[in-house]
């Protein structure tokens, strides 16, 4: 069983640096990863409506079976990677209409990937990525608004504690599970609930499973740790380390992105600032998410690979573990990407084009096509509400969140459903097969960067 020894993760008396990927888009779906607009729940309702119950069930059953198999685990092991972070949505375990009644299907899905990774010598970290009431303000917590109600509702918190007690009971003694990542990217706007909640959750898990590591994300999307208090025993505190030049609107590297000049030194300064709590408290460093998106422009993508190489070298020197975001998607960021000629990619292509044109996805698009809409709203807020700085990132991103990623995204869910009109149950299964490794493409340059980083011991 892995455990904490000072600033190191160890197996027995041997140090272990976790090097791996996040399995985004599988048990917690995200719009830029699989192509839909809005949130996972909105997408699922739309597909059930157009595919019918049988087609819907067969599509998602096949999707969940094909997305990650032994072949995928073998690919990662072949690159020298030794860990996979598995994000999951609470809805796989519990229905809102039946709180505290846990479904065995969720455990079975997790078991399948945990076991596949174990067969290839890969640790897994279990990551609750979407909780009841939403723990942050954005789409990846399956949040259709910009309000994180989890932090103000004891009922939601009770359900998460109950779920983790059962997960801890289920995985107690499983040494291939590196540990539990109880809440992804918290966004506690007041900052007063997260510390006491972590302490409550830690005590509840330890009462069931005293051995597994807890990987605890900082507040404000895993970048702020001063509200957590002193470190808890056998816990790793988790920083997320996305660099400005790696975003879809990022500039050249080195160069200016979002008004700031970023070079290798600046990347390291940002990393050191984000991990100050860990270094001050003498606890291990795990970068739970990081990584650029790719544009399809060879020159720009070469700069993104250089950025990634610099980050990995920085992590190696500071003995930080890491999990690249993300393993598989439809072409923006994944190590493995769905073939653009695949049946699924072809079917959703018109939706993807419209999403890009309207800037709907937060992660995968810009507002270049709708500046005539956004500029007057931004000007209005600057003129009428100059001191309005909502949590977590201020007025401009709050405005874009409401207009592009909530309002336009919700309106586009119907477009996504329309793309599947006339699809029968058999075809629905074949569409889901587009995510099987044998029908996908490996991003070769990225694979080589990861292989070299693993060989260098980073």
């Amino acid at each position: 069983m892995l455990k904490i020894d000072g600033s190191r993760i160890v197996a027995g008396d041997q140090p272990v640096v976790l090097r791996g990927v996040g399995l985004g888009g599988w048990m917690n779906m995200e719009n830029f990863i699989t192509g839909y607009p809005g949130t996972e729940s909105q997408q699922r309702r739309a597909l059930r409506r157009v595919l019918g119950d049988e087609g819907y069930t067969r599509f998602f059953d096949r999707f969940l079976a094909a997305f990650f198999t032994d072949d995928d685990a073998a690919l990662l092991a072949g690159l020298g990677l030794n860990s996979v972070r598995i994000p999951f949505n609470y809805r796989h375990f519990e229905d809102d209409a039946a709180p505290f009644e846990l479904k065995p299907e969720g455990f079975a899905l997790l078991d399948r990937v945990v076991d596949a990774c174990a067969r290839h010598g890969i640790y897994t970290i279990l990551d609750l990525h979407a909780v009841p009431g939403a723990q942050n303000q954005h789409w990846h917590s399956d949040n259709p608004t910009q309000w994180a109600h989890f932090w103000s509702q004891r009922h939601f918190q009770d359900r998460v504690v109950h779920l983790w007690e059962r997960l801890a009971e289920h995985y107690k003694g499983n040494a291939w599970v590196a540990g539990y990542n109880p809440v992804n990217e918290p966004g506690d706007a007041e900052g007063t609930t997260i510390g006491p909640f972590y302490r409550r959750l830690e005590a509840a898990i330890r009462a069931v499973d005293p051995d597994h590591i807890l990987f605890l994300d900082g507040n404000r999307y895993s970048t702020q740790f001063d509200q957590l208090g002193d470190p808890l025993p056998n816990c790793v505190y988790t920083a997320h380390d996305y660099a400005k030049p790696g975003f879809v609107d990022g500039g050249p590297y080195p160069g200016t992105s979002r008004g700031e000049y970023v070079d290798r030194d600046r990347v390291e300064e940002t990393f050191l600032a984000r991990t100050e709590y860990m270094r001050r408290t003498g606890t291990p460093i795990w970068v739970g998410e990081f990584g650029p998106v790719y544009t399809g422009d060879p020159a720009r993508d070469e700069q993104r690979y250089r950025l990634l190489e610099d980050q990995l070298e920085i992590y190696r020197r500071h003995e930080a573990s890491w999990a690249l975001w993300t393993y598989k998607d439809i072409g923006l960021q994944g190590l493995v990407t769905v073939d653009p000629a695949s049946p699924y990619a072809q079917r959703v292509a018109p939706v993807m084009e419209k999403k890009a044109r309207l800037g709907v996805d937060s992660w995968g698009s810009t507002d270049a096509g709708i500046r005539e809409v956004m500029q007057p709203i931004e000007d209005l807020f600057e003129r009428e509400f100059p001191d309005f700085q909502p949590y977590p990132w201020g007025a401009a991103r709050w405005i874009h969140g409401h207009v592009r990623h909530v309002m336009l995204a919700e309106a586009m869910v119907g477009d996504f459903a329309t793309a599947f009109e006339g699809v029968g149950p058999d075809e629905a299964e074949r569409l889901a097969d587009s995510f099987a490794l044998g029908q996908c493409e490996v991003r070769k340059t990225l694979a080589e960067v990861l292989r070299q980083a693993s060989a260098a011991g980073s």
Side-chain angles (χ1 to χ4, degrees):
M1 191 79 70
L2 297 185
K3 63 180 181 180
I4 304 308
D5 181 13
S7 63
R8 304 183 306 171
I9 300 171
V10 297
D13 58 359
Q14 294 299 311
V16 174
V17 175
L18 297 173
R19 304 176 302 270
V21 296
L23 190 56
W26 180 56
M27 284 185 74
N28 188 79
M29 301 183 74
E30 296 194 40
N31 47 37
F32 76 94
I33 293 179
T34 53
Y36 63 87
T39 69
E40 177 175 357
S41 292
Q42 290 170 333
Q43 173 218 200
R44 283 178 170 270
R45 286 193 295 270
L47 287 182
R48 185 182 290 277
R49 186 170 63 249
V50 73
L51 295 176
D53 287 345
E54 182 185 358
Y56 170 92
T57 298
R58 288 174 63 179
F59 174 82
F60 280 104
D61 284 352
R62 184 60 191 150
F63 172 84
L64 289 165
F67 198 94
F68 194 93
T69 68
D70 267 85
D71 291 341
D72 296 277
L75 170 65
L76 296 175
L79 296 176
L81 303 178
N82 65 359
S83 60
V84 171
R85 180 178 181 238
I86 308 177
F88 56 94
N89 190 316
Y90 80 96
R91 298 179 192 276
H92 284 285
F93 294 87
E94 183 186 69
D95 293 326
D96 290 330
F100 302 102
E101 297 179 17
L102 300 188
K103 300 183 286 188
E105 295 86 353
F107 294 93
L109 283 168
L110 273 183
D111 284 347
R112 190 167 54 75
V113 170
V114 168
D115 293 345
C117 287
R119 284 191 290 272
H120 292 274
I122 295 173
Y123 293 105
T124 45
I125 300 98
L126 309 185
D127 156 36
L128 183 53
H129 219 75
V131 308
Q135 77 276 13
N136 62 43
Q137 292 73 21
H138 293 135
W139 80 98
H140 45 84
S141 61
D142 202 8
N143 188 349
T145 72
Q146 288 200 109
W147 293 97
H149 294 293
F150 174 80
W151 303 105
S152 62
Q153 300 292 329
R154 175 75 179 209
H155 169 75
F156 293 143
Q157 297 164 25
D158 290 348
R159 288 165 63 182
V160 166
V161 171
H162 177 255
L163 174 56
W164 273 113
E165 287 174 330
R166 299 288 76 78
L167 286 163
E169 183 178 63
H170 186 78
Y171 289 105
K172 179 180 180 180
N174 188 330
W176 283 110
V177 174
Y180 311 137
N181 190 187
V183 181
N184 174 68
E185 292 195 341
D188 176 8
E190 301 298 326
T192 56
T193 304
I194 183 170
F197 176 73
Y198 272 175
R199 279 167 163 69
R200 177 192 174 197
L201 184 61
E202 187 263 351
I205 292 173
R206 299 293 191 219
V208 178
D209 177 357
D211 299 320
H212 272 112
I213 296 170
L214 299 190
F215 294 83
L216 299 178
D217 283 23
N219 199 22
R220 204 165 180 257
Y221 294 64
S222 212
T223 62
Q224 181 182 17
F225 298 87
D226 60 328
Q227 296 159 339
L228 303 188
D230 293 333
L232 293 164
N234 206 34
C235 287
V236 173
Y237 290 83
T238 306
H240 289 186
D241 193 32
Y242 292 105
K244 289 182 179 180
F247 288 110
V248 68
D249 60 350
Y253 180 75
T256 300
S257 292
R258 297 182 178 179
E260 178 186 4
Y261 183 82
V262 181
D263 58 8
R264 188 205 160 285
D265 289 342
R266 182 57 184 152
V267 169
E268 184 163 15
E269 289 172 8
T270 302
F271 165 78
L272 291 173
R274 288 173 174 170
T275 58
E276 186 276 334
Y277 176 89
M278 300 75 154
R279 290 178 292 106
R280 172 166 49 85
T281 58
T283 53
I285 298 172
W286 183 51
V287 180
E289 289 185 21
F290 73 107
V293 303
Y294 301 98
T295 66
D297 179 321
R300 291 185 69 192
D301 285 350
E302 190 277 331
Q303 295 177 359
R304 309 257 161 142
Y305 290 124
R306 190 185 318 158
L307 167 64
L308 178 61
E309 289 172 333
D310 284 349
Q311 287 184 288
L312 289 167
E313 191 276 331
I314 291 166
Y315 301 161
R316 181 189 60 78
R317 284 193 294 102
H318 291 278
E319 299 182 331
S321 296
W322 47 265
L324 180 75
W325 194 261
T326 183
Y327 171 60
K328 185 181 288 186
D329 69 2
I330 56 173
L332 185 70
Q333 194 173 16
L335 169 63
V336 172
T337 67
V338 170
D339 184 349
S342 69
Y344 181 89
Q346 290 293 303
R347 187 164 285 277
V348 303
V351 181
M352 297 289 294
E353 184 280 327
K354 188 172 182 177
K355 286 203 302 174
R357 177 163 47 86
L358 298 180
V360 166
D361 283 357
S362 173
W363 206 246
S365 61
T366 72
D367 69 335
I370 55 168
R371 282 307 301 162
E372 74 279 7
V373 174
M374 303 307 301
Q375 191 67 57
I377 301 174
E378 293 170 10
D379 292 344
L380 172 67
F381 270 78
E382 186 173 351
R383 183 172 65 250
E384 298 291 346
F385 311 106
D387 298 324
F388 181 63
Q389 292 297 319
Y391 185 91
W393 313 119
R397 290 176 68 176
W398 181 88
I399 292 166
H400 284 251
H402 274 298
V403 176
R404 294 165 54 199
H405 316 318
V406 173
M407 185 173 70
L408 292 178
E410 184 171 348
M412 268 205 69
V413 171
D415 292 69
F416 188 75
T418 299
F420 291 80
E421 283 185 348
V423 172
D426 290 343
E427 186 180 358
E429 279 193 350
R430 290 194 294 271
L431 289 171
D433 267 328
S434 297
F435 290 88
L437 180 60
Q439 298 191 34
C440 291
E441 302 173 346
V442 177
R443 201 184 293 271
K444 293 181 180 178
T445 303
L446 178 53
E448 187 56 31
V449 169
L450 296 177
R451 189 194 309 276
Q452 291 181 11
S454 298
S458 68

